[in-house]
């Protein structure tokens, strides 16, 4: 009986941990969505380079975002961060099983680049969370938003460095194509997140 109880408790805790990790980058869950909520997401995404990608990835959280640009910026960074982490995991596995001597250094460097991007986005997200009670337009707000803009821009540069290295150093083939496609996907999300951060920095809440 005690063994069964222990197993049940363990599985329950493991499930909660999985759910917590899944949503930790965003900190809020989607709910019933109104037309106004979706319109705000759509109009905000129109300022990005990839509006369709932006709207598709963020519209499910429209009810939680409502018309709050700070929440939207945090959400966009969280989504980008999640994509980057998955890509870094994929690259790490490739790096440890690279089939050719020339591929391994390039993939290893790419892992480092995307890892740096993850750190930059994590720092950006943490900075925004700490700014919940800052008044937009205040000197502290401008300074902290400048940090977020710098970090997100650096994350995008790190991702571009990754693809540049892969393009120049790896031989043509399925692996090279797969890496470039995955990192290009992350770059689109990071670019969109940076655009939404810039909008928030310029306009405030």
């Amino acid at each position: 009986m005690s063994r069964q109880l222990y197993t049940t408790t363990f599985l329950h805790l493991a499930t909660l941990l999985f759910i917590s990790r899944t949503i930790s980058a965003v900190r809020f869950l989607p709910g019933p969505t109104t037309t106004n909520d979706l319109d705000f997401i759509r109009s905000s995404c129109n300022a990005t380079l990839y509006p369709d990608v932006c709207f598709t990835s963020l519209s499910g959280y429209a009810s939680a975002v409502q018309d709050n640009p700070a929440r939207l910026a945090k959400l966009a960074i969280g989504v980008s961060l999640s994509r980057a982490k998955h890509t870094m995991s994929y690259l790490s596995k490739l790096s440890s099983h690279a089939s050719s001597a020339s591929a391994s250094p390039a993939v290893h460097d790419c892992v480092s680049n995307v890892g740096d991007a993850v750190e930059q986005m994590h720092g950006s997200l943490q900075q925004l969370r700490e700014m919940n009670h800052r008044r937009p337009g205040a000197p502290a707000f401008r300074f902290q938003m400048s940090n977020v803009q710098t970090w997100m821009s650096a994350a995008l540069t790190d991702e571009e460095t990754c693809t540049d290295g892969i393009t120049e150093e790896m031989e043509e083939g399925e692996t090279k194509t797969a890496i470039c496609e995955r990192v290009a996907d992350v770059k689109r999300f990071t670019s969109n997140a940076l655009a939404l951060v810039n909008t928030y920095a310029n306009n405030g809440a």
Side-chain angles (χ1 to χ4, degrees):
M1 181 68 176
S2 59
R3 181 185 180 88
Q4 182 179 5
L5 178 61
Y6 173 83
T7 301
T8 301
T9 303
F10 175 81
L11 290 174
H12 179 66
L13 290 174
T15 301
L16 289 176
L17 180 60
F18 173 79
I19 295 173
S20 175
R21 287 178 174 176
T22 301
I23 66 171
S24 61
V26 202
R27 290 285 179 93
F28 42 78
L29 292 172
T33 301
T34 69
T35 301
N36 288 340
D37 296 336
L38 287 173
D39 286 345
F40 175 72
I41 298 290
R42 194 184 307 278
S43 62
S44 298
C45 285
N46 284 339
T48 70
L49 290 179
Y50 310 98
D52 291 340
V53 172
C54 177
F55 182 76
T56 300
S57 63
L58 305 180
S59 59
Y61 295 89
S63 62
V65 172
Q66 296 181 342
D67 62 349
N68 188 311
R71 290 182 184 176
L72 184 60
K74 284 185 284 188
L75 173 63
I77 294 174
V79 171
S80 180
L81 177 60
S82 177
R83 307 286 284 212
K85 285 181 176 179
H86 280 94
T87 298
M88 186 173 66
S89 176
Y90 166 78
L91 291 170
S92 297
K93 291 177 182 178
L94 279 183
S95 179
S96 61
H97 298 93
S99 57
S100 67
S102 62
S104 185
V107 179
H108 178 76
D109 289 345
C110 195
V111 172
S112 178
N113 296 143
V114 176
D116 289 343
V118 166
E119 290 300 315
Q120 300 283 5
M121 284 188 274
H122 180 76
S124 298
L125 193 58
Q126 186 62 35
Q127 181 80 96
L128 285 176
R129 287 171 178 166
E130 293 172 357
M131 291 170 58
N132 285 340
H133 304 294
R134 295 287 184 184
R135 179 174 61 84
F141 173 85
R142 291 194 296 270
F143 173 75
Q144 291 176 316
M145 283 306 302
S146 176
N147 287 338
V148 175
Q149 290 172 294
T150 298
W151 294 334
M152 289 303 297
S153 180
L156 187 58
T157 299
D158 288 329
E159 293 157 7
E160 290 172 345
T161 300
C162 165
T163 52
D164 287 346
I166 294 297
T167 300
E168 294 172 3
E169 299 177 29
M170 280 192 73
E171 297 179 358
E172 296 298 328
E174 293 182 1
T175 300
K176 178 178 181 177
T177 300
I179 292 174
C180 289
E181 287 178 350
R182 284 176 179 256
V183 179
D185 176 71
V186 176
K187 286 163 62 176
R188 285 190 285 270
F189 281 87
T190 304
S191 172
N192 285 345
L194 175 59
L196 295 175
V197 164
N198 288 338
T199 297
Y200 177 43
N202 294 332
N203 301 330

